[in-house]
Amino acid sequence: AQSVTQPDIHITVSEGASLELRCNYSYGATPYLFWYVQSPGQGLQLLLKYFSGDTLVQGIKGFEAEFKRSQSSFNLRKPSVHWSDAAEYFCAVGNGGYQKVTFGTGTKLQVIP
Amino acid sequence: DSGVTQTPKHLITATGQRVTLRCSPRSGDLSVYWYQQSLDQGLQFLIQYYNGEERAKGNILERFSAQQFPDLHSELNLSSLELGDSALYFCASSVGSAAHNEQFFGPGTRLTVL
């Protein structure tokens, strides 16, 4: 069965600093990988996704993620964090065989001045 | 605004009761997904419908049921409610049924069971 691990429950960074959120997945074949963001009181919004091809994918709001098959990872990065990036971030994995997408437990990002 | 609407926004009810949550997908989307988000369980996939038919089932309890109507809106029915059912329930929609389709999430319905 597919699974996703986000080892960091909570991360605090200073505004302007770089950010990396970790995600490890478990799936036998090449997975479909997603990062979603949830702002307080809102639903989830897709930041970026990876299906195949270039392992470095660009998303909205200046985010990028890199698929590393050897490490079963899909970490999310941003070079300079803005206060508006404070939110909860979810990594998710799906596959082409059926429709279920499995979400990680989320990482809450706090941005301090 | 994702284009997915959910009603009601908040719902407070008592144990043993039955409630219905409603979701209208984005225009043109045929798939509807239901998720439950709670502090202890995280975001859990419940069920997916595509063009009126059930497509995938996740961790949905037998006390819960869902359907998708001909106009593509969906309802999630929760019965014999327990305190542990208190959670945020999200609906999402996508144009197709496959896992690679981007899911657009609604604002959620917060259910409180007293």
Side-chain angles (χ1 to χ4, degrees), chain B residues 60-72:
Chain B
I60 188 166
L61 301 172
E62 284 191 13
R63 300 184 285 108
F64 296 0
S65 65
Q67 54 183 327
Q68 186 179 27
F69 295 86
D71 67 352
L72 300 176

Side-chain angles (χ1 to χ4, degrees), chain B residues 89-111:
Chain B
Y89 291 84
F90 285 109
C91 167
S93 73
S94 66
V95 62
S97 64
H100 65 265
N101 289 128
E102 177 179 353
Q103 296 183 30
F104 293 85
F105 282 75
T109 293
R110 182 168 294 282
L111 173 66

Side-chain angles (χ1 to χ4, degrees), chain A residues 26-40:
Chain A
S26 173
Y27 178 64
T30 300
Y32 296 148
L33 295 162
F34 310 84
W35 274 101
Y36 282 85
V37 60
Q38 183 179 26
S39 298

Side-chain angles (χ1 to χ4, degrees), chain B residues 32-48:
Chain B
V32 169
Y33 309 77
W34 286 98
Y35 292 88
Q36 179 193 58
Q37 186 179 38
S38 61
L39 285 175
D40 55 341
Q41 297 284 334
L43 190 64
Q44 298 280 321
F45 167 70
L46 296 179
I47 197 164
Q48 179 202 4

